[in-house]
Amino acid sequence: MMALSLDFLSLPLLAAAALVFASVLAGLFSARLGFSFLLVFLIAGLLAGEDGPGGLRFDDFRLSFWVGNVALAVILLDGGLRTEQATFRTGLRPSLLLATLGVVLCAGITGAAAHWLLALDWPRALLLGAIVGSTDAAAVFALLKNSGVRLNERVAATLEIESGMNDPMAVYLTLALIGVALSAQDAGQAGVLAWLQSFVLQFGLGALLGIGGGWALAELLRRVQSRFDTGDGVLALLLVSGGLAVFAFTTWAGGSGFLAVYVLGVVVGNRAKQAVAPALAAMDGYAWLAQAGMFLLLGLLATPGQVANTFWPALGLAVVLMAVARPLSVALCLWPFHFTRREIAYIAWVGLRGAVPIVLAMFPLMAGVEGAQIFFNVALVVVLASLLLQGSTIALAARRLGLALPDPDDTAHTRQVFGDFALAAHTPLSDLCAFYNLPPPADAHLSVAQWLTATLNRPPVVGDAMRLGNAELSVREMDDGHITRIGIRLLED
C-alpha cells in the first residue's frame, strides 16, 4: 500500500519536474535565438498534452482558471513593484487612455473581423474581441526585461503601465459581453446603467483597496525590516501573500483584483524601497514560476486537433489584430500626446498577447456560453502568433525604428544616437547657432533646453531630438524631469 502511495506521488511529480526542467533549458536556448521564453513553455505543454507525444489528458478548466488568475496576480504584483513613480510623469495619461478606450476600440475592430472571418453572431464576435483585445502583462514585462533593449522613458513607461492596467478593462468587457451573449434580448437603458455602476465599482474599489492595502503593507515591511533580522525570502513571501490577500478580497468585494494588486505593487515599491529592493530577486523567481506554471498548464489544456478546425480564420484574426486593430487604436489614443510616428508604431507592435486571452477564454466556457470552445481555440492561435512574430522582434523593431538608446559604455552607439558633441543644457541657443553657423529660430533668446522643451510640445525624455538647420539636437541626460545635457549631431545635408 505504501509503495502504491509513493508511486502515485512520485510519478506525476517526476513528469512535472522533468517538463519544467526541459522547458527552462529549451527556453534559454530559444532566448538566444530571439524567440520568446514564454513560447517554449506553451509549446512544451502542447507537446505533453493529449494530442502531443506526451499523451497526457488534462481538461480541468476550473483548476486552470484558478491557477491562471493567481499567476497573473503575482506577475502584476511583480511588475508594479518595479514601476518607478517617476515613470508616471510621462506614461500615466497615455497609458490610462490605452488601457480603457484603446482596449474598447481594439476589441470592437477585432470583434467586427471575428464576425466576418468566423461567422459568429455579433454578441459572441464582440466577446471574442474583448478576450483577445488587451495586451498581456506577463508577456510585456518578461520580454521587455529580457530583450536587452533600453527604450526611452516615454515608450517604456507607456508600455509597462498600459500592460499592468488594461487587464481589468479586458476582464470587465469580457464579463459584460458574456451577459449580453447569454441574454435573449438587448440591454436597455437599465442595462447600460448597470454596466456603468459595475464599471465604477470595479475600478473605483480596485484602486481604493490597492492604494490602502499598499500603504498598509509598505508600513508593515518597514517595521519588519527595522525590528527583525529577516532574509530576503521572508520579505518576498510577505509581499506575495499580502498581494494575493488584497487581490482575493477585492475580487470577493466586487472590485477589480487585477487593478488592486498592480496598484498595491506600485505603492509598496515606491513607499518602502529599502525593504522591497532586497526582495526583488526572490520576487523575480516567483513571477517566473507563475509564468512557467501558467503557460505549461494552458498548453496542456489545449487540444491542437480542435484548434486545427478554425486555424486559418483564427490566424486571419491575429493578423487583423496585429496589423489593423492594435495600430489604429494606439494611433488614435496617443495622437493627443504628441508621440512620434516611430514611437506609435513600436507601441502598436509590442501589443503582445500572452496568457491573459487564454485565461479570459475560460470565462465563457465556465459560464456556459454556446459554442464557447471556439474562444479558447482562437485565443490559443492568436497568442502563438503574437509570441512568435511580435515577441521575437521586440529588439529588432526598436533598433530599426531608432528607439533603442545606447548603453553608457557603448561609445560607438552613443555617438551614433547623440552625435559627437555635447554641451550644458543652459547654453543660450543664440550662442550655439552662432558657433555652428545654424539658422537662429525666432525664440533664439531661450536656452537650448528651454527651446527643445517648447518645440517638442511634450514632456522631454532622453533620446528626444529636433533638427535645427544642418544639426540635430538631442536630449542626452536628464535629472528629475529637467534636461541637463544636450547632444549635437551635424548632418551632411
Side-chain angles (χ1 to χ4, degrees):
M1 182 65 70
M2 181 60 70
L4 290 174
S5 176
L6 291 176
D7 288 344
F8 179 79
L9 169 67
S10 58
L11 291 179
L13 180 60
L14 174 62
L19 186 58
V20 173
F21 186 82
S23 300
V24 171
L25 284 181
L28 292 174
F29 286 103
S30 71
R32 294 189 63 180
L33 297 175
F35 293 103
S36 166
F37 203 97
L38 303 176
L39 183 63
V40 174
F41 287 101
L42 189 59
I43 293 177
L46 289 170
L47 292 176
E50 181 178 354
D51 286 357
L56 296 177
R57 181 178 179 82
F58 179 79
D59 57 0
D60 193 338
F61 281 93
R62 187 173 296 274
L63 174 62
S64 302
F65 178 79
W66 188 89
V67 172
N69 277 270
V70 172
L72 287 174
V74 173
I75 293 162
L76 285 170
L77 173 63
D78 182 64
L81 291 171
R82 299 171 192 274
T83 303
E84 295 286 342
Q85 188 175 356
T87 63
F88 284 86
R89 177 180 64 89
T90 55
L92 181 59
R93 290 191 299 165
S95 298
L96 279 175
L97 201 59
L98 282 174
T100 51
L101 178 61
V103 173
V104 174
L105 290 174
C106 193
I109 297 171
T110 308
H115 175 69
W116 178 63
L117 290 170
L118 294 160
L120 295 175
D121 56 54
W122 278 108
R124 290 193 300 157
L126 292 174
L127 174 57
L128 180 56
I131 288 171
V132 300
S134 71
T135 59
D136 181 33
V140 172
F141 288 149
L143 294 179
L144 282 180
K145 185 169 60 175
N146 293 284
S147 66
V149 173
R150 179 183 167 219
L151 300 171
N152 74 48
E153 181 187 342
R154 178 168 47 252
V155 174
T158 300
L159 284 170
E160 291 180 5
I161 298 174
E162 179 214 0
S163 66
M165 299 185 72
N166 66 5
D167 286 350
M169 188 66 184
V171 172
Y172 171 77
L173 279 179
T174 300
L175 292 175
L177 290 169
I178 284 175
V180 174
L182 291 173
S183 177
Q185 57 185 7
D186 294 334
Q189 184 68 24
V192 173
L193 291 176
W195 282 8
L196 291 176
Q197 291 174 354
S198 174
F199 180 85
V200 172
L201 176 65
Q202 285 208 23
F203 285 80
L205 195 58
L208 182 64
L209 292 177
I211 294 172
W215 183 87
L217 186 56
E219 292 300 314
L220 175 63
L221 288 175
R222 286 176 177 175
R223 294 175 183 272
V224 167
Q225 190 183 42
S226 63
R227 296 184 182 183
F228 302 96
D229 185 16
T230 57
D232 302 343
V234 174
L235 294 174
L237 190 57
L238 282 174
L239 283 168
V240 170
S241 57
L244 289 177
V246 171
F247 168 78
F249 179 78
T250 305
T251 304
W252 174 78
S256 172
F258 293 112
L259 178 61
V261 76
Y262 178 72
V263 171
L264 177 141
V266 174
V267 173
V268 174
N270 286 276
R271 285 186 60 86
K273 287 185 177 181
Q274 292 184 347
V276 169
L280 286 179
M283 283 299 306
D284 192 48
Y286 287 136
W288 271 111
L289 179 62
Q291 293 176 60
M294 178 170 58
F295 276 82
L296 278 173
L297 201 60
L298 295 176
L300 285 170
L301 195 63
T303 306
Q306 295 180 359
V307 175
N309 297 329
T310 56
F311 177 78
W312 291 111
L315 188 60
L317 189 68
V319 172
V320 171
L321 178 60
M322 291 186 284
V324 180
R326 170 71 178 178
L328 185 58
S329 60
V330 168
L332 291 174
C333 290
L334 296 187
W335 174 75
F337 301 102
H338 305 286
F339 279 69
T340 67
R341 283 182 291 181
R342 293 182 300 171
E343 291 172 338
I344 290 174
Y346 187 75
I347 292 173
W349 185 244
V350 188
L352 296 164
R353 269 66 190 172
V356 170
I358 303 178
V359 172
L360 291 180
M362 296 182 199
F363 281 57
L365 276 168
M366 297 178 65
V369 175
E370 183 181 355
Q373 183 64 43
I374 193 173
F375 301 135
F376 189 86
N377 297 338
V378 171
L380 181 64
V381 174
V382 170
V383 169
L384 285 171
S386 179
L387 290 177
L388 185 61
L389 296 177
Q390 296 173 302
S392 61
T393 56
I394 283 182
L396 177 63
R399 287 191 289 267
R400 289 291 180 88
L401 292 170
L403 297 177
L405 296 179
D407 292 326
D409 298 331
D410 191 343
T411 305
H413 194 194
T414 299
R415 294 178 64 180
Q416 180 184 354
V417 174
F418 298 117
D420 296 325
F421 309 101
L423 73 159
H426 57 75
T427 302
L429 184 60
S430 56
D431 292 351
L432 177 70
C433 293
F435 185 83
Y436 287 102
N437 194 27
L438 302 175
D443 46 3
H445 61 281
L446 299 175
S447 69
V448 182
Q450 290 171 332
W451 178 79
L452 266 176
T453 302
T455 308
L456 288 169
N457 197 25
R458 60 177 182 264
V461 296
V462 173
D464 276 337
M466 290 295 298
R467 182 163 177 170
L468 180 61
N470 66 335
E472 184 180 74
L473 308 182
S474 58
V475 180
R476 186 163 181 161
E477 295 177 11
M478 294 189 66
D479 182 27
D480 195 23
H482 300 287
I483 304 173
T484 57
R485 200 160 182 80
I486 300 293
I488 304 175
R489 184 157 62 96
L490 298 179
L491 309 173
E492 294 182 2
D493 185 8

